[in-house]
């Protein structure tokens, strides 16, 4: 999970929230920029079903342009948190 919206601790709060929902979160970091308007999900071949489950848990709407399938076979889903998740910060924090 990469924090791309500049709100302190957002990646950690989302990571804790997703861990409680049964996901394995392995890395939290800041993005190179904090000016990302929308949350994006990058996923590798074979993880479409996990992405579908993830989309039911995160409180933002992702359309096709925000779901980017990568052609590698590494076992990962990457989330780049955008400013669109800021209004849901209290929902994520309550679940901790």
């Amino acid at each position: 999970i990469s924090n791309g919206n500049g709100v302190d601790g957002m990646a950690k709060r989302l990571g804790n929230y997703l861990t409680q929902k049964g996901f394995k979160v392995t890395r939290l970091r800041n993005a190179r920029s904090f000016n990302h308007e929308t949350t994006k999900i990058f996923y590798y071949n074979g993880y479409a079903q996990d992405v579908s489950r993830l989309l039911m848990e995160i409180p933002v709407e992702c359309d096709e342009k925000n779901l980017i399938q990568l052609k590698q076979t590494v076992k990962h889903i990457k989330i780049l948190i955008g400013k669109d998740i800021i209004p849901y910060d209290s929902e994520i924090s309550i679940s901790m």
Side-chain angles (χ1 to χ4, degrees), residues 31-48:
R32 291 183 186 162
S33 165
F34 293 126
N35 293 320
H36 294 274
E37 293 297 323
T38 58
T39 298
K40 293 180 176 58
I41 299 174
F42 301 87
Y43 65 100
Y44 295 96
N45 285 336
Y47 286 85

Side-chain angles (χ1 to χ4, degrees), residues 77-94:
I77 296 171
K78 298 179 181 184
I79 302 171
L80 173 62
I81 301 171
K83 293 180 181 182
D84 58 342
I85 205 167
I86 293 172
Y88 303 101
D89 192 12
S90 62
E91 290 178 36
I92 293 168
S93 297
I94 291 171

Side-chain angles (χ1 to χ4, degrees), residues 19-54:
T19 297
Q20 287 183 344
K21 299 293 184 177
F23 291 91
K24 181 180 177 184
V25 177
T26 59
R27 186 172 180 198
L28 304 173
R29 61 184 222 115
N30 287 325
R32 291 183 186 162
S33 165
F34 293 126
N35 293 320
H36 294 274
E37 293 297 323
T38 58
T39 298
K40 293 180 176 58
I41 299 174
F42 301 87
Y43 65 100
Y44 295 96
N45 285 336
Y47 286 85
Q49 186 175 21
D50 293 322
V51 169
S52 294
R53 199 181 88 171
L54 177 66

